[in-house]
């Protein structure tokens, strides 16, 4: 992000009005024993020093890998530090594995640049709609209402190709796209589920905390191993 290319990209996002939030500098997994609170918080501040001059900078942290600590001490220590620094968690409510679809797509294109992209588009849309309806259904059971969702998507080729199709799909299903700043005003994002390991989708963590959804909750919530069999089956 501090390279000329990275700075140019972030500037374009900032100029377009997008929130510029903190995802740490080094993308460390906070659940690892080697990533202490001191190391992780220092990495957050290293990122902040680079992005805090952008006009749409927001004190929101998206945890790398959606991991928020594997012990009470690490989880609560990080939350205390965030409160002291006026940071909030930029939770996702809908977790997904677009990154894995992107990996498979790029491997196919590296071997055959003329590969048909439609099957990858179809799987991408099927996967994200499946995950969206799962987490939305769970959110409605937990809260009794429709929440403002945030979905895990990456700056990747697959989204460059198919994001507009995904937005069209949501709209065709009666969903509405809202700005991130509006989404994060939903009271749900002020919650801090007391789960261990902490993290995953906010909806996943809320359900886990109740102890009532063990039959449908897997760990991790999303991963390549869940999508690999179907992608293999489809020849992707």
């Amino acid at each position: 992000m501090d390279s000329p290319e990275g700075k140019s990209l972030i500037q374009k996002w900032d100029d377009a009005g997008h929130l510029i939030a903190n995802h740490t500098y080094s993308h460390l997994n906070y659940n690892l024993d080697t990533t202490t609170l001191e190391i992780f918080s220092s990495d957050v501040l290293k990122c902040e020093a680079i992005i805090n001059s952008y006009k749409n900078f927001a004190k929101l942290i998206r945890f790398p890998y959606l991991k928020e600590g594997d012990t009470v001490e690490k989880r609560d220590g990080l939350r205390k530090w965030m409160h002291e620094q006026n940071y909030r968690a930029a939770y996702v409510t809908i977790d997904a594995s677009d990154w894995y679809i992107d990996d498979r797509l790029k491997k196919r294109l590296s071997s055959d640049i003329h590969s048909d992209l439609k099957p990858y588009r179809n799987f991408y849309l099927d996967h994200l709609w499946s995950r969206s309806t799962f987490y939305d259904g769970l959110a409605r059971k937990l809260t009794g209402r429709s929440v403002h969702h945030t979905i895990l998507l990456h700056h990747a080729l697959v989204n460059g190709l198919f994001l507009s199709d995904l937005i069209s799909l949501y709209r065709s299903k009666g969903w509405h796209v809202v700005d991130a700043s509006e989404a994060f005003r939903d009271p749900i994002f002020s919650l801090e589920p007391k789960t261990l390991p902490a993290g995953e989708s906010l909806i996943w963590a809320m359900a886990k905390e109740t102890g009532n959804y063990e039959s449908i909750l897997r760990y991790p919530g999303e991963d390549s191993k869940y999508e690999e069999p179907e992608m293999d089956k489809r020849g992707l």
Side-chain angles (χ1 to χ4, degrees), residues 6 8-20 56 155:
S8 174
L9 182 59
I10 298 174
Q11 187 64 60
K12 290 177 182 178
W13 292 339
D14 192 46
D15 291 342
H18 297 294
L19 293 182
I20 306 300
N56 291 304
H155 183 246

Side-chain angles (χ1 to χ4, degrees), residues 197-211:
E200 307 305 297
S201 152
L202 175 60
I203 301 301
W204 186 100
M206 289 169 60
K208 185 71 174 179
E209 188 177 33
T210 70

Side-chain angles (χ1 to χ4, degrees), residues 9-72:
L9 182 59
I10 298 174
Q11 187 64 60
K12 290 177 182 178
W13 292 339
D14 192 46
D15 291 342
H18 297 294
L19 293 182
I20 306 300
N22 203 316
H23 194 42
T24 75
Y25 183 85
S26 308
H27 206 264
L28 302 173
N29 186 335
Y30 188 51
N31 281 10
L32 298 181
D33 292 341
T34 52
T35 309
T36 64
L37 172 59
E38 181 180 5
I39 290 173
F40 188 85
S41 58
S42 294
D43 207 52
V44 172
L45 294 177
K46 184 175 181 180
C47 176
E48 180 183 326
I50 296 169
I51 64 175
N52 62 7
S53 61
Y54 293 98
K55 66 177 182 291
N56 291 304
F57 167 67
K59 280 207 163 187
L60 292 163
I61 298 175
R62 168 66 49 77
F63 305 112
Y65 309 103
L66 305 186
K67 307 307 181 191
E68 200 181 344
D70 60 338
T71 66
V72 171

Side-chain angles (χ1 to χ4, degrees), residues 1-2 17-19 22 31 39 41 44 56 62 67 78 93 109 114 122 146 160 163 177 181 192 203 229 235:
M1 72 185 76
D2 49 3
H18 297 294
L19 293 182
N22 203 316
N31 281 10
I39 290 173
S41 58
V44 172
N56 291 304
R62 168 66 49 77
K67 307 307 181 191
L78 177 59
T93 59
L109 290 174
H114 300 294
N122 291 344
S146 176
L163 181 58
V177 178
S181 58
E192 294 182 333
I203 301 301

Side-chain angles (χ1 to χ4, degrees), residues 20-187:
I20 306 300
N22 203 316
H23 194 42
T24 75
Y25 183 85
S26 308
H27 206 264
L28 302 173
N29 186 335
Y30 188 51
N31 281 10
L32 298 181
D33 292 341
T34 52
T35 309
T36 64
L37 172 59
E38 181 180 5
I39 290 173
F40 188 85
S41 58
S42 294
D43 207 52
V44 172
L45 294 177
K46 184 175 181 180
C47 176
E48 180 183 326
I50 296 169
I51 64 175
N52 62 7
S53 61
Y54 293 98
K55 66 177 182 291
N56 291 304
F57 167 67
K59 280 207 163 187
L60 292 163
I61 298 175
R62 168 66 49 77
F63 305 112
Y65 309 103
L66 305 186
K67 307 307 181 191
E68 200 181 344
D70 60 338
T71 66
V72 171
E73 291 75 20
K74 290 181 73 171
R75 181 196 68 196
D76 293 354
L78 177 59
R79 289 175 177 177
K80 180 177 182 293
W81 180 86
M82 288 172 59
H83 289 310
E84 292 170 349
Q85 297 290 324
N86 295 315
Y87 266 105
R88 295 175 57 207
Y91 288 116
V92 300
T93 59
I94 298 172
D95 194 1
S97 297
D98 68 316
W99 59 271
Y100 180 62
I101 304 171
D102 186 69
D103 284 349
R104 302 263 302 222
L105 172 60
K106 287 189 291 189
K107 287 178 181 177
R108 175 61 60 86
L109 290 174
S110 68
S111 61
D112 180 8
I113 193 64
H114 300 294
S115 292
D116 184 6
L117 299 182
K118 187 176 180 180
Y120 289 90
R121 171 189 174 276
N122 291 344
F123 183 85
Y124 168 89
L125 295 176
D126 289 347
H127 168 67
L128 288 169
W129 182 242
S130 169
R131 296 298 83 208
S132 297
T133 53
F134 172 76
Y135 289 106
D136 183 58
L138 198 53
R140 290 173 185 271
K141 291 177 182 177
L142 290 163
T143 66
R145 65 181 178 90
S146 176
V147 304
H148 284 174
H149 285 293
T150 53
I151 186 169
L152 181 69
L153 294 173
H154 294 80
H155 183 246
L157 175 63
V158 72
N159 289 305
L161 291 170
F162 308 133
L163 181 58
S164 61
D165 295 318
L166 179 63
I167 293 172
S168 295
L169 173 65
Y170 282 132
R171 286 175 170 157
S172 73
K173 301 292 188 179
W175 288 38
H176 303 281
V177 178
V178 299
D179 188 82
S181 58
E182 179 181 347
F184 284 122
R185 284 197 290 269
D186 190 308

